[in-house]
Amino acid sequence: MTGPARAGAGPGPEPRAPARALLRPGALVSRRWGRALLGALGAGGAVLVLELLARGGAVDDDALPPATSVLARAAGMAVDDGFLGHLGTTVSAWLGGLALAVALAVPAGLLLGSLPWLDRAGLAVVELARPVPSVALIPLAILVFAEPVRVERSLVCYAALWPILLNTLYGLRDVDPVAKETLRAFGFGAPAVLVRVSLPSAGPFVLTGVRIAASVGLIVAVSAELRAGGDSGLGVYLLQTQSGGGRPDLMVAGAVWAGALGTAANAVLVGAGRLAFPHSARAAAGRGG
């Protein structure tokens, strides 16, 4: 009976499970490269469409230069000291405001998420302040902070604060209560439960909030420079390209650099998430995310 039983078990699911386990890493890598290829094809297609619109006369060259001309200008800016100075000012204020938002929002989210009564008390304040546009606070920021860079950094911090704070709260609410109760049953206190269970579980949510905040912060940084002015910055550079008759090729090329900054920041944060939280990254890849 042993022989037939083993023979009958051959076509069963057990032998196929190791095969799926062995193919899974390769499948994930293939899927990742497939997404990258599709993204490259999409970007190339958009460049081709814009090029054809400009070259075919459907759009005035003075309003929208050909895509190849814009990309050539953007590449030349990489060795332009004047432009790099503007870019460095924006990056400094953007990253400074984002770092300050992380330093404020994560501890605040941990505090609110750990104390339900404080969460309920502070929710009204959060919901009242969150919808206020950062650009609407430019006049107040100018009155409070004299230096343009500090104005910009404060507005970036305000805009980036809310995505990080809310995602931290959502992450803490998603923590498995059984894991926390198990740790408490072994005599661990609230700080140990927070460090050993809550933080690792909420980490992917926090990182997602930082990714959203990075994009929002860059938009606010350039918008603040466009509205508040100053001596340097990407927004100031875009304003300068509109003066003296206007240089739409330089203006669009500057916007391309802003998009490249946002794309690079998102790629860095995605890579950091895969290194710090590999299980969450594999789960997202398995869902096709």
Side-chain angles (χ1 to χ4, degrees):
M1 293 180 64
T2 305
R6 289 178 179 174
E14 289 81 8
R16 290 198 297 268
R20 287 199 299 268
L22 290 174
L23 292 175
R24 186 174 300 168
L28 293 180
V29 171
S30 302
R31 186 176 300 174
R32 189 176 302 169
W33 278 106
R35 289 197 300 266
L37 179 59
L38 290 175
L41 289 175
V47 171
L48 179 61
V49 169
L50 293 175
E51 183 74 14
L52 292 176
L53 288 175
R55 299 293 183 184
V59 181
D60 189 1
D61 289 354
D62 294 334
L64 183 63
T68 52
S69 175
V70 171
L71 293 177
R73 292 291 184 186
M77 290 176 179
V79 293
D80 184 352
D81 292 339
F83 173 76
L84 293 178
H86 287 290
L87 189 67
T89 300
T90 299
V91 171
S92 176
W94 169 41
L95 296 182
L98 183 63
L100 184 59
V102 172
L104 294 175
V106 173
L110 294 176
L111 183 62
L112 293 175
S114 302
L115 302 175
W117 63 270
L118 187 60
D119 185 13
R120 289 189 291 269
L123 184 60
V125 179
V126 172
E127 293 299 328
L128 178 65
R130 183 170 61 91
V132 178
S134 297
V135 180
L137 299 176
I138 289 178
L140 177 61
I142 293 176
L143 291 176
V144 176
F145 306 103
E147 299 178 6
V149 175
R150 295 182 64 187
V151 171
E152 188 178 349
R153 189 179 295 121
S154 65
L155 294 173
V156 170
C157 176
Y158 181 85
L161 187 72
W162 309 114
I164 303 173
L165 176 62
L166 293 178
N167 275 272
T168 303
L169 289 174
Y170 295 151
L172 289 177
R173 292 169 183 170
D174 196 61
V175 176
D176 185 5
V178 176
K180 295 194 293 185
E181 292 300 328
T182 302
L183 214 61
R184 293 192 185 101
F186 280 96
F188 290 93
V193 173
L194 181 65
V195 173
R196 292 173 177 265
V197 176
S198 299
L199 274 178
S201 179
F205 289 86
V206 176
L207 190 62
T208 299
V210 175
R211 288 176 57 192
I212 299 172
S215 300
V216 173
L218 181 59
I219 295 172
V220 170
V222 178
S223 301
E225 291 167 350
L226 286 170
R227 302 291 296 177
D231 299 328
S232 183
L234 188 55
V236 175
Y237 177 83
L238 295 178
L239 288 175
Q240 292 175 353
T241 59
Q242 297 178 9
S243 61
R247 289 292 305 274
D249 54 341
L250 294 177
M251 181 178 63
V252 179
V256 168
W257 269 95
L261 282 178
T263 303
N266 184 72
V268 169
L269 291 172
V270 169
R274 286 173 180 161
L275 291 176
F277 312 106
H279 298 291
S280 299
R282 283 196 293 268
R287 295 190 300 266

